[in-house]
Amino acid sequence: MNSPLIQARGLIKRFGDFTAVDGIDVDVRAGEAFGFLGPNGAGKSSTMRMIGCVSPPSEGELRILGMDPRRDGPRIRARLGVCPQLDNLDTELTVRENLTTYARFFGIPRKVARARAAELLEFVQLSERADSKVDPLSGGMKRRLTIARALVNEPDLVLLDEPTTGLDPQARHLVWERLFRLKQQGVTLVLTTHYMDEAEQLCDRLVVMDGGRIVAEGSPRELIERYSTREVVELRFTTDEQGTYAEKLAGMADRIEVLPDRVLMYVADGDDALAEVHRRSLSPSSALVRRSSLEDVFLHLTGRTLVD
Amino acid sequence: MTASAYVLEYHLVNYRRTWRASALSTLVLPLLTMLGFGIGVGGYVTAGVDGVDYLDWLVPGLIASAAVQTAIGESTWPVLSYFEWLKVYFAQAAAPLRVADIVTGHLAFMLFRVLLSAGAFLLVAAFFGTLHSLWAVAVLPISALTGLAVAAPVMAYSASVTSDSYLAILMRFAVLPMSLFSGVFFPIESLGLLRWVAYVLPLWHGVDLSRAATLGVSPGWDGLWQLLYLLGWGAAGWSLAVRRFGKRLVV
Ligand SMILES: Nc1ncnc2c1ncn2[C@@H]1O[C@H](COP(=O)(O)OP(=O)(O)OP(=O)(O)O)[C@@H](O)[C@H]1O
Ligand SMILES: [Mg+2]
């Protein structure tokens, strides 16, 4: 019962000489929302494709729903829902047909497929577009339709590769809200993202990936506590040389991070730190105190920001 | 098996959108061809071939040729676009289908289209009174088999290329010579050594078998070998296609 839905040990994916996923260990338990957070090329999609049983692992152990993807691909896929990074909806079919024809691949009877398509279109708020073609739909609508299609077989495990990349804020919130509802219904979600707010909103637990490896693991809160401070002060100075201020600020923060356009001070109390900055008349052109986020965790772990 | 039936069903649903236009051209093409050849060319070629009216001799070749044209049309651009642009195969690969189901289901749809073309042509040919025997109905399974012998390997080819300029190469260097040198328009005996093109490629065998059927002539044991030869092309093509599809879909 409590055995993990996904269990990976030393999982490796190579493309020729290139190692895209370099020995990762992952456990995803039933009912949780699990995230892979990482920048471009981290190996998130490669991992998701191995979990989705469309890409054989090069090395290591992988078990999905207690089965071996190398042997039981179709049986595992029958219980998965997959929302790939790039929508591969059928642009020649209608919105509804996209769901009903896909349902047939799972051996779902036509009548059930039609009923379920109607329910799912309701769920992703596309009912009024049911008989329209896919092409004229907006990016957000297509994404929601892809998510609906991933749910057509009532999967135990839903894989979402960057579910909201490229969507405007409103469309993103709608997707988040639907995914949150799924999670409440007890569906296990595995998603990738390079948005920390998405990870914070949706994930119970996540791993941070970089260069094919897992560099940290935990709940969003744990990661922030472990790798960052409670608050961050962002300072911008008028000079081009943000770096020259690093020395002057040293000692006032647990840690200083110099970015091309700003300096970050990692502190327990942001307002105190900012007051101290002003007391020493360092006079930044702008200053912002905020709570620490996964972005800071990522910056600390890899020395880079998530979205360049 | 059932899984490939689901894939076939998908292609049929997709076809429902365009079937009217496609059915029309399926009928108009043989009509125009018959009129063109019957009235136009038939007027000049009065000698006949092997003691048969030229038109009656020609028609089974045209049917086999139409079957192959349809098979090639369905196994080239659609396959390329399902990989490159529409990504249909990738969506199917994420469902509980095996690569072999994806290939077999699509191939079954291609044969359905081949049967429609051959059937329409056969009807028109019957209407023009060019069929000499009830054996003419055998043209349908022969067309399907010839279609399979061509569609399966071409499908493997289309799955191996990423640009349609390679499809144009296939058309120019394989399909065109095959259409010209497969005894559709004139007996291959007049080809000299070139008749080996006919023996090796699938079309001539389909033409020869169809001709035997519509003229009501027994193909003899050669006929059996020809059927097996076509089946061989189909089986080899299918297994190659499954491998090529696997290379693209499972990476
Ligand atoms: N089929 C392939 N052949 C060769 N290299 C590949 C293939 N697929 C992925 N890669 C490489 O593997 C690395 C990891 O790619 P992957 O798509 O898993 O990253 P990602 O974390 O999903 O990135 P993104 O955020 O851009 O989607 C990249 O360098 C990519 O170029
Ligand atoms: Mg990716």
PDB file of all heavy atoms in Angstrom, chain A residues 62-76:
ATOM      1  N   LEU A  62      14.344   1.481 -12.193  1.00  0.00           N
ATOM      2  CA  LEU A  62      13.154   2.331 -12.217  1.00  0.00           C
ATOM      3  C   LEU A  62      11.928   1.440 -12.098  1.00  0.00           C
ATOM      4  O   LEU A  62      11.773   0.479 -12.863  1.00  0.00           O
ATOM      5  CB  LEU A  62      13.094   3.133 -13.529  1.00  0.00           C
ATOM      6  CG  LEU A  62      11.885   4.065 -13.700  1.00  0.00           C
ATOM      7  CD1 LEU A  62      11.863   5.149 -12.634  1.00  0.00           C
ATOM      8  CD2 LEU A  62      11.893   4.721 -15.081  1.00  0.00           C
ATOM      9  N   ARG A  63      11.093   1.735 -11.125  1.00  0.00           N
ATOM     10  CA  ARG A  63       9.826   1.008 -11.001  1.00  0.00           C
ATOM     11  C   ARG A  63       8.688   2.008 -10.924  1.00  0.00           C
ATOM     12  O   ARG A  63       8.744   2.984 -10.175  1.00  0.00           O
ATOM     13  CB  ARG A  63       9.830   0.101  -9.766  1.00  0.00           C
ATOM     14  CG  ARG A  63      10.820  -1.043  -9.897  1.00  0.00           C
ATOM     15  CD  ARG A  63      10.607  -2.112  -8.856  1.00  0.00           C
ATOM     16  NE  ARG A  63       9.472  -2.964  -9.149  1.00  0.00           N
ATOM     17  CZ  ARG A  63       9.480  -3.930 -10.070  1.00  0.00           C
ATOM     18  NH1 ARG A  63      10.553  -4.126 -10.808  1.00  0.00           N
ATOM     19  NH2 ARG A  63       8.429  -4.674 -10.257  1.00  0.00           N
ATOM     20  N   ILE A  64       7.671   1.785 -11.748  1.00  0.00           N
ATOM     21  CA  ILE A  64       6.509   2.667 -11.769  1.00  0.00           C
ATOM     22  C   ILE A  64       5.300   1.820 -11.410  1.00  0.00           C
ATOM     23  O   ILE A  64       5.064   0.795 -12.060  1.00  0.00           O
ATOM     24  CB  ILE A  64       6.271   3.264 -13.178  1.00  0.00           C
ATOM     25  CG1 ILE A  64       7.572   3.659 -13.863  1.00  0.00           C
ATOM     26  CG2 ILE A  64       5.276   4.402 -13.126  1.00  0.00           C
ATOM     27  CD1 ILE A  64       8.159   4.923 -13.442  1.00  0.00           C
ATOM     28  N   LEU A  65       4.540   2.249 -10.417  1.00  0.00           N
ATOM     29  CA  LEU A  65       3.354   1.512  -9.972  1.00  0.00           C
ATOM     30  C   LEU A  65       3.717   0.044  -9.702  1.00  0.00           C
ATOM     31  O   LEU A  65       2.940  -0.868  -9.978  1.00  0.00           O
ATOM     32  CB  LEU A  65       2.241   1.588 -11.031  1.00  0.00           C
ATOM     33  CG  LEU A  65       1.796   3.004 -11.421  1.00  0.00           C
ATOM     34  CD1 LEU A  65       1.037   3.008 -12.731  1.00  0.00           C
ATOM     35  CD2 LEU A  65       0.963   3.639 -10.325  1.00  0.00           C
ATOM     36  N   GLY A  66       4.921  -0.152  -9.212  1.00  0.00           N
ATOM     37  CA  GLY A  66       5.375  -1.494  -8.866  1.00  0.00           C
ATOM     38  C   GLY A  66       5.780  -2.345 -10.060  1.00  0.00           C
ATOM     39  O   GLY A  66       6.075  -3.524  -9.909  1.00  0.00           O
ATOM     40  N   MET A  67       5.799  -1.730 -11.267  1.00  0.00           N
ATOM     41  CA  MET A  67       6.135  -2.520 -12.461  1.00  0.00           C
ATOM     42  C   MET A  67       7.420  -1.997 -13.116  1.00  0.00           C
ATOM     43  O   MET A  67       7.879  -0.903 -12.816  1.00  0.00           O
ATOM     44  CB  MET A  67       4.979  -2.473 -13.465  1.00  0.00           C
ATOM     45  CG  MET A  67       3.736  -3.230 -13.016  1.00  0.00           C
ATOM     46  SD  MET A  67       2.403  -3.130 -14.231  1.00  0.00           S
ATOM     47  CE  MET A  67       1.585  -1.607 -13.743  1.00  0.00           C
ATOM     48  N   ASP A  68       7.930  -2.797 -14.012  1.00  0.00           N
ATOM     49  CA  ASP A  68       9.176  -2.476 -14.694  1.00  0.00           C
ATOM     50  C   ASP A  68       8.873  -1.874 -16.068  1.00  0.00           C
ATOM     51  O   ASP A  68       8.307  -2.545 -16.924  1.00  0.00           O
ATOM     52  CB  ASP A  68       9.982  -3.780 -14.855  1.00  0.00           C
ATOM     53  CG  ASP A  68      11.287  -3.565 -15.600  1.00  0.00           C
ATOM     54  OD1 ASP A  68      11.556  -2.424 -16.031  1.00  0.00           O
ATOM     55  OD2 ASP A  68      12.033  -4.550 -15.750  1.00  0.00           O
ATOM     56  N   PRO A  69       9.239  -0.609 -16.291  1.00  0.00           N
ATOM     57  CA  PRO A  69       8.907   0.042 -17.571  1.00  0.00           C
ATOM     58  C   PRO A  69       9.476  -0.692 -18.784  1.00  0.00           C
ATOM     59  O   PRO A  69       8.907  -0.618 -19.866  1.00  0.00           O
ATOM     60  CB  PRO A  69       9.535   1.426 -17.462  1.00  0.00           C
ATOM     61  CG  PRO A  69       9.950   1.594 -16.067  1.00  0.00           C
ATOM     62  CD  PRO A  69       9.984   0.264 -15.398  1.00  0.00           C
ATOM     63  N   ARG A  70      10.588  -1.374 -18.609  1.00  0.00           N
ATOM     64  CA  ARG A  70      11.184  -2.053 -19.760  1.00  0.00           C
ATOM     65  C   ARG A  70      10.268  -3.169 -20.243  1.00  0.00           C
ATOM     66  O   ARG A  70      10.201  -3.463 -21.422  1.00  0.00           O
ATOM     67  CB  ARG A  70      12.551  -2.616 -19.393  1.00  0.00           C
ATOM     68  CG  ARG A  70      13.608  -1.536 -19.147  1.00  0.00           C
ATOM     69  CD  ARG A  70      14.955  -2.213 -18.847  1.00  0.00           C
ATOM     70  NE  ARG A  70      15.996  -1.235 -18.568  1.00  0.00           N
ATOM     71  CZ  ARG A  70      16.263  -0.762 -17.356  1.00  0.00           C
ATOM     72  NH1 ARG A  70      15.546  -1.134 -16.316  1.00  0.00           N
ATOM     73  NH2 ARG A  70      17.252   0.108 -17.175  1.00  0.00           N
ATOM     74  N   ARG A  71       9.589  -3.820 -19.301  1.00  0.00           N
ATOM     75  CA  ARG A  71       8.757  -4.961 -19.653  1.00  0.00           C
ATOM     76  C   ARG A  71       7.271  -4.620 -19.768  1.00  0.00           C
ATOM     77  O   ARG A  71       6.573  -5.125 -20.628  1.00  0.00           O
ATOM     78  CB  ARG A  71       8.926  -6.046 -18.581  1.00  0.00           C
ATOM     79  CG  ARG A  71       9.972  -7.087 -18.899  1.00  0.00           C
ATOM     80  CD  ARG A  71       9.678  -8.405 -18.184  1.00  0.00           C
ATOM     81  NE  ARG A  71       8.583  -8.314 -17.248  1.00  0.00           N
ATOM     82  CZ  ARG A  71       8.731  -8.284 -15.922  1.00  0.00           C
ATOM     83  NH1 ARG A  71       9.917  -8.326 -15.401  1.00  0.00           N
ATOM     84  NH2 ARG A  71       7.679  -8.223 -15.137  1.00  0.00           N
ATOM     85  N   ASP A  72       6.796  -3.761 -18.844  1.00  0.00           N
ATOM     86  CA  ASP A  72       5.350  -3.566 -18.720  1.00  0.00           C
ATOM     87  C   ASP A  72       4.875  -2.216 -19.247  1.00  0.00           C
ATOM     88  O   ASP A  72       3.850  -1.705 -18.780  1.00  0.00           O
ATOM     89  CB  ASP A  72       4.946  -3.689 -17.242  1.00  0.00           C
ATOM     90  CG  ASP A  72       5.366  -5.029 -16.663  1.00  0.00           C
ATOM     91  OD1 ASP A  72       5.109  -6.034 -17.330  1.00  0.00           O
ATOM     92  OD2 ASP A  72       5.945  -5.050 -15.562  1.00  0.00           O
ATOM     93  N   GLY A  73       5.609  -1.643 -20.225  1.00  0.00           N
ATOM     94  CA  GLY A  73       5.281  -0.310 -20.727  1.00  0.00           C
ATOM     95  C   GLY A  73       3.785  -0.064 -20.923  1.00  0.00           C
ATOM     96  O   GLY A  73       3.220   0.826 -20.293  1.00  0.00           O
ATOM     97  N   PRO A  74       3.122  -0.849 -21.778  1.00  0.00           N
ATOM     98  CA  PRO A  74       1.706  -0.585 -22.023  1.00  0.00           C
ATOM     99  C   PRO A  74       0.845  -0.692 -20.758  1.00  0.00           C
ATOM    100  O   PRO A  74      -0.066   0.117 -20.569  1.00  0.00           O
ATOM    101  CB  PRO A  74       1.315  -1.669 -23.038  1.00  0.00           C
ATOM    102  CG  PRO A  74       2.585  -2.002 -23.733  1.00  0.00           C
ATOM    103  CD  PRO A  74       3.657  -1.867 -22.691  1.00  0.00           C
ATOM    104  N   ARG A  75       1.156  -1.638 -19.887  1.00  0.00           N
ATOM    105  CA  ARG A  75       0.352  -1.783 -18.666  1.00  0.00           C
ATOM    106  C   ARG A  75       0.528  -0.591 -17.733  1.00  0.00           C
ATOM    107  O   ARG A  75      -0.410  -0.159 -17.071  1.00  0.00           O
ATOM    108  CB  ARG A  75       0.724  -3.070 -17.929  1.00  0.00           C
ATOM    109  CG  ARG A  75      -0.082  -4.266 -18.422  1.00  0.00           C
ATOM    110  CD  ARG A  75       0.351  -5.544 -17.759  1.00  0.00           C
ATOM    111  NE  ARG A  75       0.103  -5.570 -16.321  1.00  0.00           N
ATOM    112  CZ  ARG A  75       0.801  -6.316 -15.467  1.00  0.00           C
ATOM    113  NH1 ARG A  75       1.796  -7.067 -15.903  1.00  0.00           N
ATOM    114  NH2 ARG A  75       0.504  -6.319 -14.195  1.00  0.00           N
ATOM    115  N   ILE A  76       1.733  -0.067 -17.676  1.00  0.00           N
ATOM    116  CA  ILE A  76       1.968   1.125 -16.852  1.00  0.00           C
ATOM    117  C   ILE A  76       1.284   2.332 -17.492  1.00  0.00           C
ATOM    118  O   ILE A  76       0.556   3.069 -16.833  1.00  0.00           O
ATOM    119  CB  ILE A  76       3.482   1.400 -16.687  1.00  0.00           C
ATOM    120  CG1 ILE A  76       4.151   0.232 -15.974  1.00  0.00           C
ATOM    121  CG2 ILE A  76       3.706   2.691 -15.927  1.00  0.00           C
ATOM    122  CD1 ILE A  76       5.669   0.317 -15.951  1.00  0.00           C
TER     123      ILE A  76
END
